[in-house]
Amino acid sequence: MADIIKLLPDHVANQIAAGEVVQRPASVVKELMENAIDAGATCIKLIVKDGGKTLIQVVDDGSGMSETDARLSFERHATSKISSAQDLFNLATKGFRGEALASIAAIAHVDMQTRTAANEVGTHLKIEGSKIVSQEVIATPEGTSISVKNLFFNIPARRNFLKSTQVELRHITDEFHRVALVHPNIEFHFYNNGSEIFNLPIGKHRQRIVHIFGSKMDNRLVPVSEETEVVKVSGFICKPEFAKKSRGEQFFFANNRYIKSPYLHHAVVAAFEGLIKSDTHPGYFLFLEVDPSSIDINIHPTKTEVKFDDENTLYAILRSTIKHSLGQFNVAPVLDFDHDPNLDTPYSYKEKGAVIPKVTVDASFNPFQEKGGSGGSFRKQSTKGWEDLYEGLGHQNDHNEFSSVVIESESEEQGTLYSGEGVEEHLASTFQLRRKYVVSTVKSGMLVIHQNRAHERILFEKFLGEITVKEGVSQQLLFPLELSFNKQELAVVKEIHESLTNIGFVFDSLEKETVKVTGVPMMVPESGIGTVLDRLIADYMEGYSDGSISQAEMLAKALSRNLAVRTGDVLDSESQLMLVNNLFACKEPNLSPFQKITYTIISEGDIDKKFN
C-alpha cells in the first residue's frame, strides 16, 4: 500500500492556524497592539479603514527589529518571548506562541517597516499570502509600522463571513479598549477613516477609564483594593445605581492581560446582591495579580480563556473585597450599632435603671361633646354635594390610545389603554388570566392571547411602518433632557439618528458625551426616556451585530420589547378588547417579532374531552 500521510506545506499550515488566531479584523488589531506593547512602545497608533477590511495599521516607537529578525518574525513558532517549555509557567509578555504574524501574513497583504536604535536605516518587507514579495532597505523612524491590507483576500468564504463595517469597527473598538485600559502608562491614538476617535494620554487607571468612557464615569467609580498571599486585587467598580441592562463595562485583567471568566463575574454579581435588579449587570474594571505559575493562559490562541489553580479562593476573596469597598465608601447600607450616635446612651443615664413609664388617661374626655365657643367645637358637617368636587375627572383619559400609555406592573388599578366607540357592548367577551393572558371567546372555542408577545407584535409593526414611511408622531418636551453617553454609545446614536427621528425622537444636539433630547414618541413616558434609549442602544449593539436584519427592523424590535406591556400588568376590559382587535389587524398576528407564538385556540372539542 502506498504511503498516504504527507507533511503539509508551510503556507497551508499557516492558513489553518489563521482560522484559530484571526477570526475577524479585531483579532489582527489585538495581536499587533500586543506585539507593540511587548516591544516596549510608549506611543501606539492604530489606523483603521472600512472596519479593518481595507486597512489595519499599527505604528509604535518600540525597540524595532533587525533585518534578520524582521524576516524571521513571519515564520511559524518563531518568537523572542520564550525559549523553553518552562517559560510557559512564568510568562511576562502578551505573546508567546509565535503564530500571530505568520497567520496574518498567510491571509492578507502585509507591509512592515522597522528599525532598531542601533541601525541608521531600517527594513521594508512586503508579504502576500505567506509569499515574500520584496525586502529592501528604507529610511524609517525607530520602531515598527505594520500595515495589514485586504484581509482574507485568498479566503473568499471568510471574507464574505465578515459583518458590516459598523459592526467590525465596534469589535475593533472593544479590543482597543481592552488593551488601552490595562496600560495607562502608554499613549494610544485611534484613527478611523482619517478621523481621530481616541487620543489617550499617559496617566493612571482612573484617568484612562474616564478618557475612554467619558467624564461622567468619574463620579460612578468606587475604588477596590485588597492584597493577599493568593491574589492582589485593584481597580474600580461602578455604583449600583448605574448598573445597566446590557454588558459592556465589565473588564477583568489578570497579570495585565484581558480575560473572560464567567465564574469570577458571578462573584462580582454576588457582591452586588440586593443592591441591583436581577436583570442588570454592574460595571467593573478589576485588575488581578497572581503568581504566573498559578495561572494557565495556554488554552486558546486568543488567550482570553484562562485557568487558575484555586478558583474557589479567588471567588471568595473577590466577593468579599467588593463588599468591603461598597460598605467602606457608604455605597451599601451599613447598620453599625456601636457607631450610630442616635443609639448611644447619654452619659447621665448610664447608671440609671429602666423605669416603667406611666400613662394618664382623662376618662371624662369626649371628643364629640359640644362645648361653648366656636374655637374648640366639633360639629358634624354635611356631606351633601361631595360628588360635585370630582365632576369631570372621570373623562380625562378618554383621548388616550393604546400605544400612548405605559402600564406600571405594581399598579392594581389601571386606566384605560384603549378607547373607541361601541366598545362597551363587547367588554364582557374578554377577561385577564393570571395577569399574563387575555382570554376571549370565538366560534370554535376559546382564544388565549399572551399579552406581552401580542403587544410586541402590535408595536413592532407600528414602529416598522413609522420608520419606513417617516410618519412618527413626536411629543415635545417642556424642558429639554440632557443624557450622557460614552463615545461608543454616542456613535450608535449617530448611526441610528435618522431612524430615531422617523419614530418621533427629536435631538437638539449630539455633542461630546451629551445628547440633548427635545421630543420623544407619544408612547414613551418622559421619566423613562433615558432608560428606553439605554436599552435601545444595548439591544441594537447586541442584536444588530449578526448583520442578518435591517437597521429599521432591529430598532422596531428593540422598541417593541422595551415598551410592550409586561406579564403582571393589569389590563382593564377595554384594553383587553383593543389588544385582541389590534393583534388580528396585524400582518402576522400569530408570531411575535422574536418568533414566539402570540395566541392559541382551545376548541370546544378539547374542552369536552376533559369531561369524558
Side-chain angles (χ1 to χ4, degrees):
M1 181 178 178
D3 299 332
I4 58 175
I5 296 179
K6 299 178 182 178
L7 186 64
L8 290 175
D10 287 342
H11 69 279
V12 177
N14 288 339
Q15 285 194 10
I16 294 173
E20 287 287 336
V21 178
V22 183
Q23 300 173 352
R24 59 190 339 137
S27 304
V28 177
V29 171
K30 173 182 179 295
E31 298 293 344
L32 296 184
M33 291 185 68
E34 288 183 348
N35 283 344
I37 293 171
D38 288 339
T42 59
C43 179
I44 299 176
K45 296 180 181 179
L46 172 63
I47 303 170
V48 172
K49 289 184 180 180
D50 299 331
K53 300 175 184 178
T54 304
L55 172 67
I56 299 172
Q57 183 178 5
V58 174
V59 183
D60 68 74
D61 60 352
S63 59
M65 288 181 282
S66 64
E67 182 180 357
T68 303
D69 287 344
R71 182 74 174 260
L72 193 59
S73 64
F74 288 96
E75 298 295 332
R76 289 192 69 203
H77 307 305
T79 179
S80 62
K81 317 296 174 62
I82 62 174
S83 57
S84 65
Q86 189 62 31
D87 294 338
L88 290 173
F89 304 101
N90 191 27
L91 288 171
T93 58
K94 300 287 186 181
F96 58 88
R97 291 175 175 270
E99 289 183 330
L101 289 180
S103 300
I104 294 171
I107 55 174
H109 297 168
V110 178
D111 188 308
M112 183 173 72
Q113 301 178 19
T114 183
R115 181 176 74 86
T116 62
N119 297 327
E120 295 182 356
V121 292
T123 303
H124 184 197
L125 200 62
K126 288 186 178 180
I127 301 177
E128 297 179 1
S130 295
K131 296 180 181 180
I132 298 177
V133 177
S134 66
Q135 179 177 347
E136 57 188 7
V137 177
I138 190 174
T140 182
E142 180 185 352
T144 304
S145 172
I146 299 182
S147 300
V148 178
K149 305 174 184 177
N150 304 323
L151 192 64
F152 299 124
F153 79 98
N154 53 356
I155 309 179
R158 290 294 296 272
R159 188 168 181 86
N160 294 334
F161 171 77
L162 296 179
K163 308 303 180 185
S164 65
T165 300
Q166 293 85 357
V167 174
E168 295 300 340
L169 179 62
R170 199 170 299 133
H171 285 286
I172 290 174
T173 305
D174 289 339
E175 290 294 346
F176 180 83
H177 288 170
R178 294 167 182 175
V179 176
L181 280 172
V182 77
H183 294 285
N185 58 329
I186 300 177
E187 181 181 349
F188 287 92
H189 299 268
F190 183 11
Y191 301 91
N192 175 49
N193 293 336
S195 61
E196 185 179 66
I197 298 181
F198 288 100
N199 184 352
L200 307 178
I202 296 175
K204 297 182 180 179
H205 279 123
R206 189 181 193 118
Q207 295 171 324
R208 179 56 56 86
I209 294 171
V210 171
H211 282 138
I212 291 178
F213 293 97
S215 57
K216 300 289 184 181
M217 180 63 73
D218 193 26
N219 297 325
R220 303 179 183 180
L221 299 178
V222 177
V224 175
S225 180
E226 186 66 45
E227 186 171 358
T228 66
E229 295 180 355
V230 179
V231 61
K232 179 181 178 182
V233 183
S234 61
F236 301 90
I237 54 176
C238 293
K239 295 178 181 178
E241 57 265 32
F242 298 105
K244 295 185 177 181
K245 288 278 186 180
S246 63
R247 299 188 181 186
E249 296 176 357
Q250 291 79 31
F251 294 90
F252 270 121
F253 301 95
N255 293 352
N256 290 336
R257 185 190 303 274
Y258 173 79
I259 64 170
K260 295 179 181 179
S261 177
Y263 187 65
L264 296 183
H265 172 76
H266 188 275
V268 178
V269 175
F272 277 88
E273 185 178 3
L275 299 176
I276 61 175
K277 295 181 180 179
S278 58
D279 58 344
T280 58
H281 304 280
Y284 54 82
F285 308 86
L286 297 174
F287 304 88
L288 311 178
E289 293 184 23
V290 298
D291 184 358
S293 61
S294 67
I295 181 175
D296 183 10
I297 60 177
N298 190 24
I299 297 176
H300 192 272
T302 59
K303 308 182 189 77
T304 56
E305 300 177 15
V306 299
K307 292 292 184 182
F308 296 95
D309 279 353
D310 193 353
E311 284 190 332
N312 294 333
T313 302
L314 281 177
Y315 183 100
I317 293 175
L318 188 60
R319 180 173 177 270
S320 60
T321 300
I322 295 175
K323 274 185 169 292
H324 176 70
S325 293
L326 290 172
Q328 182 181 7
F329 293 93
N330 295 325
V331 177
V334 178
L335 184 61
D336 192 341
F337 290 96
D338 296 332
H339 296 87
D340 192 340
N342 295 324
L343 299 178
D344 289 343
T345 304
Y347 182 77
S348 58
Y349 284 84
K350 285 187 179 292
E351 304 298 330
K352 291 185 178 182
V355 179
I356 300 177
K358 296 181 180 180
V359 180
T360 57
V361 180
D362 184 3
S364 63
F365 174 72
N366 184 1
F368 301 102
Q369 181 179 1
E370 296 185 4
K371 298 181 180 180
S374 59
S377 63
F378 177 86
R379 299 180 183 275
K380 186 175 181 181
Q381 302 294 330
S382 173
T383 60
K384 184 178 180 181
W386 66 271
E387 298 94 339
D388 298 338
L389 297 174
Y390 302 94
E391 184 176 359
L393 294 182
H395 305 285
Q396 288 184 352
N397 292 330
D398 287 352
H399 65 282
N400 291 344
E401 296 182 358
F402 171 69
S403 61
S404 63
V405 177
V406 175
I407 307 173
E408 300 293 339
S409 60
E410 294 83 6
S411 177
E412 292 291 339
E413 298 180 2
Q414 300 292 333
T416 301
L417 289 179
Y418 317 95
S419 63
E421 297 180 0
V423 173
E424 291 79 3
E425 60 187 18
H426 302 289
L427 295 182
S429 63
T430 63
F431 68 91
Q432 191 176 19
L433 177 65
R434 302 272 184 186
R435 301 186 186 179
K436 184 176 183 180
Y437 303 103
V438 173
V439 182
S440 181
T441 57
V442 293
K443 291 183 179 180
S444 58
M446 185 168 58
L447 174 69
V448 183
I449 298 175
H450 194 292
Q451 65 183 39
N452 172 254
R453 297 178 184 176
H455 198 192
E456 284 181 346
R457 165 53 62 178
I458 296 169
L459 292 181
F460 171 73
E461 295 196 4
K462 171 181 170 56
F463 289 131
L464 191 60
E466 289 179 351
I467 296 175
T468 305
V469 185
K470 304 180 181 180
E471 292 183 352
V473 180
S474 178
Q475 176 183 355
Q476 298 300 309
L477 299 178
L478 183 60
F479 300 101
L481 180 65
E482 290 189 358
L483 303 174
S484 61
F485 297 102
N486 60 43
K487 292 184 178 181
Q488 192 172 6
E489 292 170 339
L490 191 61
V492 174
V493 174
K494 291 180 179 179
E495 183 180 336
I496 61 178
H497 176 265
E498 183 179 354
S499 298
L500 291 178
T501 303
N502 295 338
I503 294 174
F505 283 99
V506 180
F507 301 101
D508 186 31
S509 64
L510 296 174
E511 300 176 357
K512 289 184 177 180
E513 305 174 6
T514 304
V515 174
K516 185 178 289 186
V517 184
T518 58
V520 294
M522 294 294 293
M523 71 291 300
V524 178
E526 185 175 351
S527 59
I529 296 173
T531 303
V532 169
L533 279 177
D534 281 340
R535 293 177 179 176
L536 185 63
I537 293 171
D539 289 344
Y540 181 81
M541 293 174 66
E542 293 177 2
Y544 193 54
S545 60
D546 58 5
S548 60
I549 59 178
S550 65
Q551 182 186 105
E553 187 176 351
M554 183 61 240
L555 287 177
K557 280 187 175 182
L559 279 170
S560 64
R561 174 190 294 172
N562 294 319
L563 295 176
V565 296
R566 307 290 181 185
T567 297
D569 291 344
V570 179
L571 302 181
D572 59 18
S573 299
E574 294 182 7
S575 303
Q576 297 168 22
L577 186 63
M578 291 302 292
L579 179 68
V580 177
N581 294 338
N582 288 342
L583 175 63
F584 288 99
C586 293
K587 295 180 180 178
E588 296 184 16
N590 56 327
L591 292 176
S592 74
F594 306 97
Q595 304 303 309
K596 294 182 179 179
I597 297 176
T598 58
Y599 70 90
T600 185
I601 296 178
I602 303 176
S603 66
E604 185 177 353
D606 293 336
I607 299 175
D608 291 339
K609 291 178 182 179
K610 299 293 183 181
F611 293 93
N612 293 335

